[in-house]
Amino acid sequence: MDTRQQSGTAGDNQTTSSAQRSEYLRNKALAAAINDGESVAGAARRYGVSRQRAYKIKRRWDADGDSGLPPRSRAARTIANRTDAVLASRIVELRKQLEKDGPDAGAESIAARLEREGVRPPANSAIHRILVSAGLVRPEPGKRPKASCTRFEASLPDELWQSDFTHWPIATVPGAVVVSRLDDRLCFVKFLWAVSAFLLVRLSGCF
């Protein structure tokens, strides 16, 4: 890590520490104001918090004193829809087993196998995420790379010709063919000839 990165990290830490101390001092002042007889609603308005937040700070003060006033993480302690670790491990095992048994080892097959075992399977999308996290799914590009759509084009006139043979039967000549030659750079038809039959020996004189 270079000096600028270290300086930026230290600055972020200082900012976070300052914000936490500011919140702690606010909580302490709010709790003290309520203890001194000010209404919860009045203290909440004065210190810019909701009444619910003010009640929570007061309860923390009553239960833990000063140690209950520092800001606490608001991140969820548990994630309701997270798949159990044991079930995730079983999904990985089934994937490997199904790959050995045959080609059908997708999320739907795994879910069906879990149901046979008496286990309620998670959503197919959740099974797929578990397989991706375990490195068992090879990523497939959703779109073709741009390089595959790059059109080749000649840089100079007469550098490249495009030839086309179109069958154009008519009443008197059922095997008639139209031969064309296009300059790739100019997109200009330089040659157009109709012949009665597609004979390479005969068409060689066109070029």
Side-chain angles (χ1 to χ4, degrees):
M1 182 183 293
D2 59 25
T3 305
R4 289 175 296 178
Q5 289 176 327
Q6 291 177 348
S7 176
T9 302
D12 292 341
N13 291 338
Q14 290 176 357
T15 301
T16 301
S17 178
S18 177
Q20 290 175 343
R21 177 161 179 79
S22 177
E23 185 174 346
Y24 163 74
L25 293 175
R26 183 206 64 190
N27 293 347
K28 187 173 183 178
L30 187 148
I34 296 174
N35 282 339
D36 289 342
E38 186 172 356
S39 67
V40 174
R45 282 194 301 270
R46 184 146 66 96
Y47 291 100
V49 299
S50 66
R51 284 187 299 172
Q52 291 82 358
R53 182 69 177 164
Y55 277 115
K56 183 180 293 186
I57 293 170
K58 177 63 167 58
R59 287 195 298 269
R60 282 163 49 183
W61 168 274
D62 293 339
D64 303 320
D66 282 355
S67 62
L69 296 179
R72 299 176 179 176
S73 174
R74 299 180 184 177
R77 296 182 181 180
T78 59
I79 301 177
N81 61 349
R82 174 172 290 175
T83 305
D84 180 78
V86 176
L87 179 56
S89 177
R90 181 57 182 154
I91 288 172
V92 172
E93 291 176 1
L94 285 173
R95 168 71 170 206
K96 295 178 180 179
Q97 180 182 339
L98 289 171
E99 283 183 335
K100 292 179 181 179
D101 295 342
D104 191 4
E108 290 186 5
S109 297
I110 294 173
R113 185 66 66 88
L114 288 172
E115 288 181 343
R116 291 178 201 164
E117 296 177 357
V119 178
R120 182 179 180 183
N124 289 344
S125 58
I127 295 176
H128 181 75
R129 285 194 297 270
I130 292 170
L131 298 177
V132 171
S133 300
L136 299 176
V137 176
R138 289 177 296 180
E140 297 180 359
K143 298 181 180 179
R144 293 177 58 188
K146 292 184 179 180
S148 66
C149 300
T150 302
R151 180 184 181 276
F152 175 79
E153 184 180 79
S155 57
L156 296 172
D158 285 331
E159 183 180 15
L160 178 67
W161 294 340
Q162 299 179 22
S163 297
D164 190 23
F165 305 88
T166 304
H167 291 275
W168 198 282
I170 56 179
T172 56
V173 186
V177 177
V178 176
V179 182
S180 63
R181 187 173 68 191
L182 178 74
D183 187 293
D184 184 77
R185 178 63 182 176
L186 301 176
C187 295
F188 176 73
V189 178
K190 305 194 69 174
F191 181 87
L192 193 64
W193 188 36
V195 295
S196 58
F198 187 85
L199 299 174
L200 293 178
V201 175
R202 188 170 184 180
L203 294 176
S204 62
C206 301
F207 302 99

